[in-house]
């Protein structure tokens, strides 16, 4: 299933504590964002990429795209103060005929083309589909440090990106959120509050978001594992 992808890349990376946007950090010889973009660049079903960037970093991103021969970027959109605004800005830069759109964090370089294909297909069928993995830990709810209950793990999912939608479904949800000044943590939360059902697509545990410094160790281990399995 053909799709476009919006990649928000306009964050500050505060929790990574690198003093700059974490997407520029080197990961085994390539900037994080190039790892992420390369997956979509090499996917024949990806018809184009919209990258949302901070205006101060636009030149640096343009340089990287040209150095690393990333050709599918259809537009650079202006990133906003919040991730949700960066995504909305990216959506507005899509070609008008875009039927299926994926939203994928720039900071998740290990997404696979298999998961992307499942999501795009599910979005075509259902209108809204998100990548997720079953929660591994036992989760407890607590009030002021005292456990109030143990939540049944069987029904819990850790949600990732990509999140895939019929473009009209996501645009309507974004518009409603803007009208009502609702700020969500992901695109699904905006769609959920319109009453539209969202399908979970099981992804894998490698699809981590690089958030804190220790995630870079995990990232190097994932790259090493993938290199080993190639030989
Ligand atoms: N993002 C964005 N615009 C924002 C905030 C985040 O485009 N205003 C992007 C980030 O660049 C990242 C993705 O959304 O690719 C996921 O966000 P997150 O992991 O929170 O990254 P940062 O916001 O950069 O990190 P932090 O929250 O630690 O500052
Ligand atoms: Mg953030």
């Amino acid at each position: 299933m053909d799709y476009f992808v919006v990649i928000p890349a306009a964050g500050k990376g505060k929790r990574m504590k690198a003093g700059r946007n974490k997407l520029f950090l080197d990961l085994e010889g390539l900037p994080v964002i190039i790892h992420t973009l390369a997956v979509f660049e090499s996917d024949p079903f990806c018809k184009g990429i919209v990258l949302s960037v901070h205006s101060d970093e636009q030149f640096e991103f343009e340089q990287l795209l040209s150095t690393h021969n990333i050709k599918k970027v259809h537009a650079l959109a202006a990133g906003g103060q919040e991730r949700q605004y960066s995504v909305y800005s990216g959506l507005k830069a899509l070609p008008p005929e875009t039927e299926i759109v994926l939203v994928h964090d720039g900071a998740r370089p290990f997404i696979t083309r298999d998961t992307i294909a499942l999501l795009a297909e599910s979005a075509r069928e259902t209108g809204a589909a998100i990548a997720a993995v079953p929660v591994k830990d036992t989760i407890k709810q607590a009030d002021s440090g005292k456990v109030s209950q143990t939540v049944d793990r069987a029904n819990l999912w850790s949600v990732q990106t990509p999140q895939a939608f019929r473009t009209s479904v996501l645009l309507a949800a974004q518009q409603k959120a803007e009208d009502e000044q609702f700020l969500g943590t992901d695109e699904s939360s905006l769609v959920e509050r319109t009453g539209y059902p969202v399908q979970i697509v099981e992804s894998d545990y490698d699809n981590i978001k690089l958030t804190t410094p220790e995630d870079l160790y995990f990232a190097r281990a994932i790259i090493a594992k993938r290199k080993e399995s190639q030989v």
Side-chain angles (χ1 to χ4, degrees):
M1 181 68 204
D2 290 352
Y3 65 89
F4 259 73
V5 62
V6 171
I7 300 185
K12 296 257 178 285
K14 285 194 190 130
R15 287 168 289 174
M16 188 57 80
K17 299 190 173 81
R20 63 198 297 241
N21 187 343
K22 62 192 176 184
L23 301 183
F24 295 126
L25 294 181
D26 179 273
L27 191 57
E28 307 290 298
L30 288 177
V32 170
I33 189 65
I34 296 299
H35 284 274
T36 307
L37 288 166
V39 179
F40 294 98
E41 182 75 16
S42 67
D43 182 1
F45 295 107
C46 177
K47 295 303 163 195
I49 302 167
V50 174
L51 193 61
S52 299
V53 303
H54 195 280
S55 55
D56 292 349
E57 296 175 340
Q58 184 173 338
F59 181 70
E60 204 168 343
F61 276 108
E62 280 168 352
Q63 295 283 94
L64 281 183
L65 296 178
S66 124
T67 307
H68 297 282
N69 215 16
I70 304 289
K71 296 189 185 308
K72 281 193 191 166
V73 175
H74 160 83
L76 292 183
Q81 272 293 105
E82 301 288 345
R83 181 185 173 285
Q84 182 175 317
Y85 307 150
S86 299
V87 170
Y88 200 14
S89 162
L91 289 175
K92 288 173 178 164
L94 289 172
E97 71 279 11
T98 306
E99 195 189 334
I100 298 295
V101 62
L102 270 62
V103 177
H104 184 63
D105 292 325
R108 286 188 197 269
F110 302 117
I111 183 61
T112 63
R113 289 206 300 266
D114 286 350
T115 298
I116 291 171
L118 289 173
L119 284 160
E121 191 50 38
S122 181
R124 187 185 64 80
E125 280 167 20
T126 68
I130 63 175
V133 286
V135 164
K136 294 188 206 177
D137 294 324
T138 294
I139 307 281
K140 294 190 193 288
Q141 199 172 335
D143 296 318
S144 320
K146 291 267 187 299
V147 173
S148 51
Q149 65 161 320
T150 302
V151 188
D152 183 7
R153 192 172 56 198
N155 300 319
L156 293 180
W157 293 85
S158 274
V159 168
Q160 309 171 337
T161 68
Q163 302 197 345
F165 305 92
R166 266 184 228 130
T167 311
S168 55
V169 169
L170 182 55
L171 275 174
Q174 279 270 4
Q175 185 61 53
K176 181 174 155 72
E178 183 177 86
D179 293 346
E180 296 169 6
Q181 295 190 3
F182 175 84
L183 201 56
T185 49
D186 65 351
E187 286 57 61
S188 180
S189 63
L190 311 187
V191 171
E192 289 156 36
R193 62 192 292 283
T194 69
Y196 199 95
V198 176
Q199 178 67 42
I200 283 184
V201 168
E202 188 160 350
S203 170
D204 60 76
Y205 291 103
D206 279 4
N207 185 25
I208 58 170
K209 180 159 71 68
L210 305 188
T211 305
T212 55
E214 56 273 18
D215 292 328
L216 297 175
Y217 293 111
F218 300 136
R220 291 190 190 104
I222 291 166
I223 292 174
K225 177 186 78 171
R226 289 184 173 184
K227 276 192 187 142
E228 268 172 36
S229 67
Q230 273 169 11
V231 289

